[in-house]
Amino acid sequence: MGRPVAAALALLALAAVAGCGGGPGVAAGASVDVYVGAALCPGARDALSRRQGTAGDVEVRALCLRPAVAPGGKTIDLATQGANARRATEDSTSVAFIEAQGKAGEFAKPIVEEAGIAFVEAGSGDAAMGRVLRAIHEAGSSGSLREKVREALE
């Protein structure tokens, strides 16, 4: 690998760390992810769209999760919900996990919280995303964005 390529890769890695949940600060234009349960995703995306996908200087993406609850809410696919929670924990840019009230959320919550990610249980994706966007905006640019968002939403 040539020096220009190695230097470019190093700069990309540095930029990713600066914008993620665990770095020392948040760079302007950083991108973060909010994982959203399937039932709440349309409302969360509407809230995000009204804000043009940003909270302050941070670009926010809503990542819709696979449905883990069967229609009627009686049966939960724990393997799917576990995979949904792990997906969020493996993403260094994730700052929140929004899930509908109920047993699926109860299953995902300890997994997500163990990774230091804010868990928001809600009846409305729109309202929950609004809370997350406010927390991101108010977090400022110093310290861990993931930690500040989690503290603001506790």
Side-chain angles (χ1 to χ4, degrees):
M1 175 181 323
R3 282 188 179 198
V5 173
L9 289 175
L11 284 173
L12 282 173
L14 190 61
V17 169
C20 78
V26 182
S31 296
V32 297
D33 294 331
V34 176
Y35 286 81
V36 185
L40 301 179
C41 208
R45 286 201 166 180
D46 287 346
L48 190 56
S49 178
R50 286 193 303 276
R51 292 264 192 97
Q52 290 79 42
T54 62
D57 291 334
V58 178
E59 177 188 334
V60 181
R61 292 181 301 254
L63 301 177
C64 297
L65 297 167
R66 290 183 42 209
V69 179
K74 300 272 188 220
T75 307
I76 300 166
D77 182 346
L78 296 180
T80 298
Q81 188 66 341
N84 286 343
R86 282 189 307 280
R87 180 177 166 203
T89 65
E90 292 170 355
D91 179 351
S92 65
T93 65
S94 66
V95 296
F97 189 101
I98 299 171
E99 183 58 85
Q101 298 166 333
K103 292 193 183 286
E106 291 172 16
F107 182 75
K109 184 176 183 176
I111 298 167
V112 171
E113 287 183 338
E114 181 66 27
I117 299 168
F119 182 86
V120 180
E121 188 175 36
S124 162
D126 190 313
M129 182 60 82
R131 289 181 54 215
V132 171
L133 293 172
R134 280 189 297 282
I136 293 169
H137 182 73
E138 294 170 2
S141 62
S142 64
S144 167
L145 181 60
R146 179 183 280 183
E147 184 177 314
K148 286 184 170 188
V149 169
R150 188 188 76 243
E151 289 172 358
L153 294 172
E154 286 182 336

